Amino acid sequence: MSAEDLEQYESELELQLYREYKDVVGIFTYAVETERRFYLCNAVDLKVRTEGGDVYYEVSMSDAWVWDMYRPARFVKSAKVLTFRDVSIEEIAHSDLQVPKSVTGT
């Protein structure tokens, strides 16, 4: 496999992942970003921990989807992340009014 083939393969995987993200983002409440991964989830708990003078974060999520193009199953029942780096947690804004993609009239 050439470098060009590998790059094309990875580009296709990324595009498939982005399309899946667009399909599933509406069913989740939170977006969580760590230094290694991006998650969508419906429940998240962040705890600040200290041990031996070091501070780290424990992020627990349930009903989650993981942005990882090499992962065969991206939906997980629960996930726990321990990190010394920043964690971003955002509530996903869902529009109360959704316009249908196509309108059929009589």
Side-chain angles (χ1 to χ4, degrees):
M1 179 177 265
S2 72
E4 186 177 307
D5 291 339
L6 182 58
E7 188 174 313
Q8 184 177 359
Y9 174 74
E10 287 182 341
S11 293
E12 183 59 36
L13 282 178
E14 254 187 282
L15 182 58
Q16 289 173 2
L17 183 61
Y18 175 72
R19 287 179 179 150
E20 183 178 322
Y21 166 82
K22 283 180 53 176
D23 289 342
V24 302
V25 69
I27 62 174
F28 292 99
T29 307
Y30 299 99
V32 179
E33 188 172 2
T34 68
E35 80 276 2
R36 298 206 51 199
R37 296 276 189 277
F38 176 81
Y39 303 86
L40 298 172
C41 62
N42 284 321
V44 61
D45 181 43
L46 175 68
K47 292 187 172 113
V48 179
R49 305 282 190 196
T50 56
E51 188 173 310
D54 292 326
V55 176
Y56 66 95
Y57 305 98
E58 179 181 329
V59 185
S60 300
M61 295 168 275
S62 60
D63 188 22
W65 180 88
V66 184
W67 179 288
D68 184 344
M69 66 185 181
Y70 298 109
R71 188 181 179 96
R74 286 184 272 280
F75 287 95
V76 293
K77 185 174 181 167
S78 63
K80 185 179 284 192
V81 176
L82 302 175
T83 181
F84 289 98
R85 307 232 180 180
D86 291 340
V87 176
S88 172
I89 300 172
E90 298 179 24
E91 188 169 351
I92 299 170
H94 295 287
S95 173
D96 291 337
L97 175 64
Q98 301 231 346
V99 179
K101 290 182 181 178
S102 64
V103 178
T104 57
T106 52

